[in-house]
């Protein structure tokens, strides 16, 4: 039954990919594309990358299910993850650089886990090996979390700097508009000039 379900999922996915392929220019138009969420995170030329992620997740799930502790399956999974890592670094499919970096680090960490956790040096029963394995897994878990935290701090810093610059620019524009556009001051100055001229003419006539 599980294999039938997987086959049905891939058939439905294949139909959706064909629909996206036929859209062409409309793929990146949110109003025209009902499947816009499948392509919104990627560059236009890599609209199909969600399919690549689906195949990677499927391989991981299948290897987890059918893994019997043999080295052959672990080697195959490590080779596949290496291929996905190379593709990620080569193509950089996501729109944002920080997402591409985080994706590459996550694949690399997963590759390290598959290689080292299943190696013979971690199969010993002594306490020292257990401690080393625990530290290694902790680093693998914390590394992506620290990267996300760092990117959030950098992003917040950029937003604060931009908001500060925008406020300074807005203040300068307002001051410039105040100095450049003062219709009431112009009218008052013209009235004062007319009154002075009129006084001078009246004084001249009296003389």
């Amino acid at each position: 039954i599980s294999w039938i379900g997987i086959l049905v999922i891939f058939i439905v996915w294949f139909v959706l990919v064909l629909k996206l392929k036929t859209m062409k220019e409309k793929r990146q138009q949110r109003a025209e594309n009902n499947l816009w969420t499948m392509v919104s995170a990627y560059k236009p030329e890599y609209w199909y990358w969600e399919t690549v992620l689906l195949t990677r997740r499927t391989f991981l799930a299948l290897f987890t299910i059918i893994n019997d502790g043999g080295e052959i399956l672990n080697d195959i999974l490590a080779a596949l993850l290496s291929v996905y890592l190379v593709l990620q670094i080569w193509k950089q499919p996501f729109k944002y650089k920080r997402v591409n970096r985080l994706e590459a680090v996550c694949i690399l960490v997963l590759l390290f886990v598959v290689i080292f956790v299943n190696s013979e040096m971690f199969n010993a029963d002594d306490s020292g090996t257990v401690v080393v394995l625990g530290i290694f897994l902790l680093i693998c878990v914390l590394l992506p979390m620290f990267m996300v935290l760092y990117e959030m701090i950098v992003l917040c810093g950029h937003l604060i700097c931009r908001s500060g610059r925008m406020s300074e620019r807005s203040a300068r524009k307002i001051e410039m508009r105040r100095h450049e556009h003062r219709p009431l001051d112009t009218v008052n100055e013209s009235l004062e000039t007319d009154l002075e001229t009129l006084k001078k003419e009246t004084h001249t006539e009296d003389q």
Side-chain angles (χ1 to χ4, degrees):
I1 298 175
S2 60
W3 290 103
I4 296 175
I6 294 173
L7 181 61
V8 171
I9 291 173
F10 271 93
I11 291 174
V12 173
W13 191 268
F14 182 73
V15 173
L16 295 177
V17 171
L18 284 180
K19 184 178 179 180
L20 284 172
K21 184 176 177 60
T22 56
M23 286 183 178
K24 295 183 179 180
E25 291 82 5
K26 294 182 179 180
R27 274 197 299 266
Q28 301 300 321
Q29 299 176 8
R30 187 171 186 175
E32 301 291 336
N33 186 5
N34 296 328
L35 304 174
W36 187 76
T37 53
M38 292 177 60
V39 299
S40 60
Y42 309 105
K43 299 174 183 177
E45 61 269 27
Y46 301 120
W47 58 269
Y48 56 85
W49 203 258
E50 195 69 32
T51 305
V52 177
L53 298 184
L54 178 65
T55 57
R56 191 183 75 199
R57 293 162 186 162
T58 304
F59 282 132
L60 286 173
L62 290 177
F63 276 99
T64 303
I65 294 172
I66 64 177
N67 188 10
D68 56 354
E71 295 182 359
I72 297 178
L73 290 178
N74 292 329
D75 293 341
I76 295 174
L77 181 58
L80 288 173
L81 288 175
S82 300
V83 172
Y84 284 113
L85 179 61
V86 171
L87 288 175
Q88 172 62 36
I89 297 174
W90 177 31
K91 295 295 186 179
Q92 300 285 310
F94 292 94
K95 291 180 179 179
Y96 301 103
K97 292 181 179 179
R98 60 180 63 94
V99 181
N100 285 312
R101 289 196 295 265
L102 184 60
E103 182 75 8
V105 169
C106 289
I107 299 174
L108 183 62
V109 168
L110 186 59
L111 181 60
F112 283 160
V113 171
V114 171
I115 293 175
F116 292 108
V117 172
N118 293 294
S119 63
E120 295 181 357
M121 62 177 294
F122 288 118
N123 291 330
D125 295 330
D126 59 310
S127 59
T129 303
V130 174
V131 172
V132 173
L133 179 60
I135 295 174
F136 173 75
L137 292 177
L138 183 62
I139 294 173
C140 291
V141 172
L142 292 180
L143 183 60
M145 295 176 63
F146 279 122
M147 283 197 62
V148 172
L149 182 61
Y150 171 76
E151 295 294 347
M152 289 177 62
I153 293 173
V154 172
L155 183 60
C156 291
H158 288 324
L159 291 175
I160 292 172
C161 293
R162 287 181 182 179
S163 63
R165 291 174 184 174
M166 289 299 293
S167 61
E168 291 177 1
R169 290 177 183 176
S170 301
R172 290 176 182 175
K173 287 182 180 179
I174 291 172
E175 290 296 328
M176 290 175 63
R177 289 174 182 175
R178 285 179 180 176
H179 289 291
E180 292 176 358
H181 303 286
R182 289 186 176 180
L184 291 177
D185 293 345
T186 305
V187 172
N188 291 332
E189 290 176 0
S190 62
L191 287 174
E192 290 177 358
T193 304
D194 293 339
L195 286 173
E196 289 179 0
T197 304
L198 184 59
K199 287 179 182 180
K200 289 179 181 179
E201 290 177 355
T202 304
H203 183 67
T204 304
E205 289 178 359
D206 290 338
Q207 290 178 351

